Amino acid sequence: MPVLIAGAVGAAVFLLVSTLEGLARPGYSLVRHPVSALALGSRGWVQTVSFLVCGALVALGGAGLWATSWLLAVGVVVLGIGLVASGVYPMDPGRGYPPGTPDGDPPSFSRRHQRHDQAGAVVFLLLPVLPLLAAATPELPTALRWVSGVLAVVIGIGVAAFVRAWEAGSPRAGITQRLTLTGALGWLAWLLLVVAAQPG
């Protein structure tokens, strides 16, 4: 089904764009800074477009899961919407990025940053929940369900580790987030492709 493939492409392209942009940006650290910081600065539009387009594709892919599991479909659609909202409401500059920004958080956060955080909370809450739902979906292949169950635990640990690292101002918060996103969105792309390949 084309919408499922579109969703898989959206998940994969989001990871690709955020990695390439992270490597290309002066002053940006893949280890320290979060993906959302790439929406700041003169090239911020690239990551913003990635949030908007890839999020919309993920939501579209979620709609294609309806015949497999309406609950899983709704979860993926909401994940996509959360990514779109993260692009609509960028985070505030901080922690040394963009270059010239003070090394730390601003004394107060703007309303758009607060909305970005709310969207991000939805996204990161869903990252381990979605594979857990997939593990409990009998319509999916057995191997996919087992792997999904294991990944739900691993991704849940990753989300918790990122939250702790971010709150503590850890210099490794960025890489913790990236590894978690790679596992979760990579799994999502795989799920969508497997369902797309199923007969009927």
Side-chain angles (χ1 to χ4, degrees):
M1 186 182 296
V3 293
L4 291 167
I5 296 173
V9 169
V13 169
F14 183 87
L15 293 173
L16 180 63
V17 169
S18 63
T19 300
L20 293 178
E21 279 294 292
L23 291 170
R25 297 282 189 92
Y28 182 89
S29 169
L30 291 169
V31 175
R32 181 186 184 193
H33 297 123
V35 169
S36 294
L38 290 169
L40 304 172
S42 61
R43 285 179 57 87
W45 65 270
V46 177
Q47 183 61 41
T48 297
V49 169
S50 179
F51 270 124
L52 299 177
V53 174
C54 294
L57 289 175
V58 166
L60 187 63
L65 291 170
W66 191 266
T68 302
S69 166
W70 70 267
L71 192 56
L72 189 57
V74 169
V76 176
V77 169
V78 173
L79 174 68
I81 293 172
L83 290 172
V84 171
S86 297
V88 172
Y89 302 107
M91 68 181 292
D92 291 339
R95 305 195 183 188
Y97 193 84
T101 301
D103 191 17
D105 290 328
S108 62
F109 292 108
S110 67
R111 180 166 296 181
R112 73 173 193 182
H113 181 100
Q114 293 170 3
R115 290 176 176 170
H116 180 88
D117 278 353
Q118 291 164 356
V122 171
V123 168
F124 278 89
L125 175 65
L126 285 170
L127 293 186
V129 169
L130 292 176
L132 189 62
L133 290 176
T137 302
E139 291 79 9
L140 294 174
T142 301
L144 175 58
R145 293 176 62 197
W146 276 100
V147 173
S148 297
V150 172
L151 282 178
V153 175
V154 173
I155 293 167
I157 292 171
V159 170
F162 166 62
V163 171
R164 286 196 302 270
W166 182 257
E167 292 298 324
S170 170
R172 293 180 293 277
I175 193 64
T176 305
Q177 184 199 48
R178 283 180 175 278
L179 291 174
T180 303
L181 282 171
T182 299
L185 295 181
W187 166 83
L188 179 59
W190 178 44
L191 167 73
L192 293 170
L193 291 175
V194 167
V195 175
Q198 288 183 313

